[in-house]
Amino acid sequence: MTNIPPPAEELRLLDAELRQLDARRAVLLRRREWLVHVLRTASAQRSVPGAGQMPPVWPVAPGAAAPRPEATAPGVQNVLLLLGGILLTVAALAFTLVGWGHLGITGRALVLAAVTLAALSAPVWLLRRGLGSTAEAVAALGMALTVLDAYALHEVAFDGSGGLGYAAAASAVLSAAWAAYGAAADLLVPRSDAGSPTRPDRARAGAGAGTAARPALRLPLPCAVVTAQVPLLLWALAVDAGPHTLTAVLLVTAAADTVVALRPAHAPVRIVGLVGACVAGALGVLSAGWLCWSAAAPVAAARGAALLLLAAAIALAAARYAPKPEVALCASLAAGLCLVAGVGGVLRAWLPAEWTVPGCLALGIALLTAVRTPLPRPMRQGVVGASLVVQGLAVLWTLPLVAGTLLGPVALIERPWSGTPLDIRDAVFQDAAWASYATAAPLVLAAVAGVLALAERRAVRRPASGVGALVLAWAAVVVTPVVLELPYGTGLVADGAVVVVALGVAERARRGTGGPSAPALTALVLALVTSVTLALVSLATEAGTIAVLLALAALFGVASTRAGLVAFTAPAALAHATALACAAGASAGLRPEHTALLVLVVPAVAALVAARAARAGRSAATVTVEAAGAGAALLALTLAVTDLPVLASVLALCGVVTAGTALRPERRRAGHAAAALFLLAAWVRLAAWEVTTTEAYTLPVSVAALAVGHLRRRRDPSVSSWAAHGAGLSVTLVPSLLAMWGDPHWLRPLLLGTAALAVTLVGARSRLQAPLVLGGGTLALVALHELAPYIAQVVGVLPRWAPPALAGLVLLALGATYEQRLRDARRLREALGRLH
């Protein structure tokens, strides 16, 4: 009858059950010993009068398993077998290398042959008796002895042969012998004795999936695959083969490994084959690519391309028969890249250098036709992935030209209006080297943009494809005038047309989606970037600068009438208007501080536009417009900082604009900024008049602050006097006190003391805390300042022991009346606390 599971597996299950029974028996025996101990202790306590009951003490917690050993029996067995095999191998190695000379040639051959034959035969006998781990250890020893046999044979019979040639032949023979040995073990040992997977369901799952069952001996076949990696390579090195032959050897080895990896063999064999295929294939592809792309002649490039095509064929075969979709995808991706690399290397040798990348791109785009083929889906995805990689690399190839076109005009900032360039390329790349490959860059960008546009039309990752197509098409158009070396004026007109078209695309995309979308925002950003580049390029001539800035300001101003674009176009129009004001001032010969007055027109216009946007309910546009106006105002302040009278005027005008903004209900807080600007304007004007009196700077602030505080307390009597009057009083009293200590005249202390007395009296009459404390403190400090010379004179007349004695008397008096002083301080604090 048929056994389910197989006898070997059933034997393993029975052994596991017996081990569990042994563990359970150990627990029960321990419990029995504890119960016997409890009964004996209880009988002993009953024989002793007054002995109490012994509390139940459990050696093992209820429900807890018995302590498990730290090392399992199979683990210990494997360690012992491993150590034994290592020691025997070392002994055999020492015998072969050291003790070889003590025996004659016949004795040596007989000893090694006998030991090797015994080591290779013993595993079969061990497997039939179920000793699988021991059989594996002895088999490993036997295979190690075969390596020593090969070495001994070389030393005895083939001493004159080359080392690499003999190593190649020996490795091939050993690989075949080990594979045959593993297959023979499967034939000689019945399946019931050879063993099977640990669980019966795993064996059934492996058989159902087409995976071979575990062999009788697990080591020979993987070792044979590992050894098979080197024979061809060693042979090629032995015959002094060239790089093409070595590369072919690597690829053939990779092909053999691929066959092994795709066979329904045991898992370790397939893993070793897969690793070998990846390593040998990667080395072969890198070598073939180097041979192909470094070749100077077309024939040599074709030889390298043939090797790459061989690698592509191997990868396609692996993808076709791969058991997993992920492996098929990666293999077909590698095949597509190898194909493009091989053809590209030939094109590099046949065509001019600038057309190599377009040729590779054409082949990469052609790979997209794999979508229409009946190939399996993972293979089609891999080929499409290879096409995308090629297209991405082609776009990266054009990035230096695009970056140079956009950033090259920045150098004109250092030398504006230096003269009309020869052409647009001279204006852009005046300080940068021109790349010889740039001729084909617009074609590459346009081709990839067309592919993305087609993908977007067919709804393949639509948003990303549409945005990518838009960006690449823009880049192609931007670099085209530079590549074609158009005249300077024509290049400016072309860039201006790009700005207009980008704004039109943004408006159309916004209307199509009914709101902001990725294509619309992308088109807006491209329009802004192009406008900045255009403005920089126009710096070469005075007329061009003014005309371009005027046109850009008007263009973005007109675009700001569209509700969906105003948040971006209005700040851009203000920025270009600011640059236009600076250019107009420079053209008119105005000094920078006078140009600042012209720039102030922009913040005023920004305030009006922001107010209109706020009434229309476009808060985002309001914020961006106000930020642009603030930037223009900051630029005006920077330009006017060298002339104090003009700076005061600029500050005052900025304060007027800010005060006008504060009239809007949602911008009431801007009134604080307006007040600060007016104050700064007054201070700068006083500094321009060379006024050095401190009170001239502080009194206006104090008067304004006290007036605001008075109005605030009238509206809300609960407001503290510190919040209403503290800041206004401190602004004048504190700086005046500091100035008084360095002032030798009597007028400032007199006026400050009079003012402090008046403030103190007003605070006492109104019962306000802040005026009383600040005024009284200031009055005390003024009095101290006036009495300081006399105090110093008295201290100088007194003997040196008098101050310590006086201090001691004061301390004694305070100590004697300490509690009374505490009560007085508490009353004073309560009295001040009752004030506002």
Side-chain angles (χ1 to χ4, degrees):
M1 59 184 297
T2 303
N3 292 293
I4 300 178
E9 181 61 27
E10 185 176 1
L11 178 61
R12 290 181 179 275
L13 293 176
L14 291 177
D15 291 340
E17 292 290 340
L18 290 174
R19 284 194 293 270
Q20 294 179 2
L21 291 176
D22 290 339
R24 181 61 178 167
R25 184 173 182 275
V27 173
L28 294 176
L29 288 175
R30 189 169 182 181
R31 176 66 175 173
R32 181 180 180 281
E33 293 176 358
W34 179 81
L35 291 174
V36 171
H37 174 71
V38 168
L39 293 175
R40 290 177 179 175
T41 305
S43 61
Q45 288 180 349
R46 282 195 299 269
S47 62
V48 178
Q53 294 288 335
M54 185 187 71
V57 179
W58 292 77
V60 181
R68 300 181 60 183
E70 296 182 358
T72 61
V76 174
Q77 179 186 11
N78 292 332
V79 171
L80 294 177
L81 292 174
L82 177 62
L83 292 176
I86 293 174
L87 292 177
L88 288 175
T89 304
V90 171
L93 184 63
F95 168 76
T96 304
L97 298 178
V98 180
W100 192 248
H102 299 290
L103 297 176
I105 185 171
T106 305
R108 302 170 194 169
L110 291 176
V111 170
L112 276 179
V115 173
T116 304
L117 183 60
L120 294 177
S121 303
V124 176
W125 181 81
L126 294 172
L127 286 173
R128 289 179 176 178
R129 282 153 181 77
L131 302 177
S133 299
T134 307
E136 295 286 352
V138 177
L141 175 61
M143 289 188 294
L145 289 175
T146 58
V147 177
L148 296 178
D149 288 338
Y151 169 74
L153 186 62
H154 175 267
E155 292 296 323
V156 173
F158 300 98
D159 191 15
S161 62
L164 288 176
Y166 181 80
S171 58
V173 172
L174 287 176
S175 176
W178 290 350
Y181 178 63
D186 286 341
L187 295 176
L188 295 176
V189 180
R191 300 309 301 165
S192 59
D193 296 334
S196 59
T198 305
R199 298 178 183 175
D201 54 346
R202 187 181 302 174
R204 288 192 295 270
T211 302
R214 193 183 73 182
L217 292 175
R218 289 175 291 180
L219 287 178
L221 292 180
C223 292
V225 176
V226 172
T227 309
Q229 306 298 313
V230 295
L232 286 178
L233 184 60
L234 292 176
W235 168 81
L237 294 175
V239 298
D240 294 330
H244 290 83
T245 305
L246 288 173
T247 304
V249 164
L250 288 173
L251 293 177
V252 170
T253 304
D257 290 332
T258 303
V259 173
V260 172
L262 295 178
R263 286 184 66 252
H266 190 44
V269 179
R270 288 185 283 108
I271 292 174
V272 171
L274 179 61
V275 173
C278 292
V279 174
L283 293 176
V285 168
L286 292 176
S287 177
W290 179 79
L291 292 173
C292 183
W293 283 80
S294 63
V299 177
R303 294 176 62 190
L307 294 174
L308 286 173
L309 293 180
L310 174 61
I314 296 171
L316 281 178
R320 178 63 182 84
Y321 298 102
K324 294 184 178 180
E326 297 83 1
V327 178
L329 190 149
C330 294
S332 55
L333 174 65
L337 293 178
C338 290
L339 177 63
V340 175
V343 178
V346 176
L347 291 177
R348 189 197 66 84
W350 280 92
L351 299 177
E354 61 268 21
W355 294 104
T356 301
V357 173
C360 294
L361 177 62
L363 185 59
I365 295 175
L367 291 178
L368 293 176
T369 56
V371 178
R372 300 293 185 181
T373 61
L375 293 173
R377 181 174 181 179
M379 293 186 65
R380 284 186 278 120
Q381 291 178 343
V383 175
V384 171
S387 175
L388 295 180
V389 171
V390 172
Q391 295 179 55
L393 294 176
V395 172
L396 289 178
W397 175 74
T398 64
L399 281 185
L401 175 62
V402 177
T405 304
L406 297 178
L407 302 178
V410 176
L412 291 173
I413 297 177
E414 299 179 354
R415 48 178 184 279
W417 302 347
S418 57
T420 305
L422 298 176
D423 50 45
I424 192 66
R425 181 190 295 182
D426 183 59
V428 174
F429 285 90
Q430 190 171 0
D431 293 337
W434 175 255
S436 59
Y437 63 83
T439 305
L443 180 61
V444 170
L445 292 170
V448 180
V451 172
L452 291 178
L454 182 61
E456 191 268 342
R457 184 179 296 275
R458 296 186 178 182
V460 180
R461 295 187 178 181
R462 189 166 185 173
S465 300
V467 170
L470 184 60
V471 173
L472 293 178
W474 165 81
V477 174
V478 167
V479 301
T480 299
V482 180
V483 172
L484 297 180
E485 298 184 62
L486 296 179
Y488 177 69
T490 307
L492 294 180
V493 173
D495 287 344
V498 172
V499 178
V500 174
V501 172
L503 289 176
V505 172
E507 176 62 18
R508 181 179 179 183
R510 185 191 66 83
R511 287 182 178 180
T513 57
S517 60
L521 295 178
T522 303
L524 276 174
V525 172
L526 296 178
L528 295 175
V529 172
T530 310
S531 68
V532 173
T533 304
L534 176 59
L536 292 174
V537 174
S538 68
L539 290 176
T541 61
E542 179 180 351
T545 301
I546 295 177
V548 167
L549 291 177
L550 180 61
L552 289 175
L555 176 62
F556 282 102
V558 172
S560 300
T561 58
R562 303 296 180 182
L565 306 180
V566 64
F568 296 91
T569 55
L574 294 173
H576 290 300
T578 303
L580 177 62
C582 295
S587 178
L590 299 179
R591 298 174 59 185
E593 56 269 21
H594 296 151
T595 304
L597 297 174
L598 190 60
V599 174
L600 283 179
V601 177
V602 177
V605 175
L608 297 177
V609 175
R612 181 180 177 182
R615 288 194 298 270
R618 296 191 289 266
S619 58
T622 303
V623 173
T624 57
V625 169
E626 289 176 345
L634 183 60
L635 177 61
L637 293 173
T638 304
L639 292 174
V641 74
T642 58
D643 193 325
L644 292 182
V646 177
L647 179 60
S649 301
V650 172
L651 286 169
L653 292 175
C654 291
V656 172
V657 175
T658 308
T661 303
L663 294 177
R664 289 159 38 200
E666 73 277 6
R667 290 292 186 266
R668 295 298 186 194
R669 294 181 179 273
H672 301 290
L677 289 171
F678 285 129
L679 177 62
L680 288 175
W683 284 356
V684 171
R685 176 58 64 180
L686 291 174
W689 289 338
E690 297 182 355
V691 175
T692 58
T693 304
T694 305
E695 287 74 15
Y697 295 88
T698 58
L699 277 176
V701 182
S702 293
V703 171
L706 290 175
V708 173
H710 178 68
L711 295 176
R712 184 180 178 186
R713 277 187 57 81
R714 287 187 60 182
R715 289 196 303 266
D716 186 6
S718 62
V719 175
S720 171
S721 62
W722 289 102
H725 307 300
L729 294 174
S730 300
V731 167
T732 296
L733 294 178
V734 174
S736 297
L737 275 174
L738 297 177
M740 179 192 66
W741 286 102
D743 191 353
H745 301 286
W746 57 272
L747 182 58
R748 188 191 299 273
L750 177 61
L751 295 177
L752 182 59
T754 303
L757 178 61
V759 170
T760 304
L761 293 177
V762 170
R765 183 177 180 278
S766 303
R767 303 188 65 184
L768 297 177
Q769 191 178 102
L772 183 61
V773 173
L774 293 176
T778 303
L779 186 60
L781 291 175
V782 170
L784 180 63
H785 174 268
E786 294 301 311
L787 294 177
Y790 302 100
I791 295 173
Q793 184 177 2
V794 171
V795 171
V797 172
L798 293 175
R800 294 186 177 181
W801 54 265
L806 181 61
L809 291 175
V810 170
L811 292 176
L812 287 176
L814 289 176
T817 59
Y818 178 71
E819 294 182 356
Q820 183 63 33
R821 299 288 79 75
L822 287 178
R823 287 194 295 270
D824 295 342
R826 192 177 298 111
R827 293 194 190 97
L828 178 61
R829 185 185 63 185
E830 293 173 355
L832 289 175
R834 287 193 294 269
L835 301 179
H836 290 284

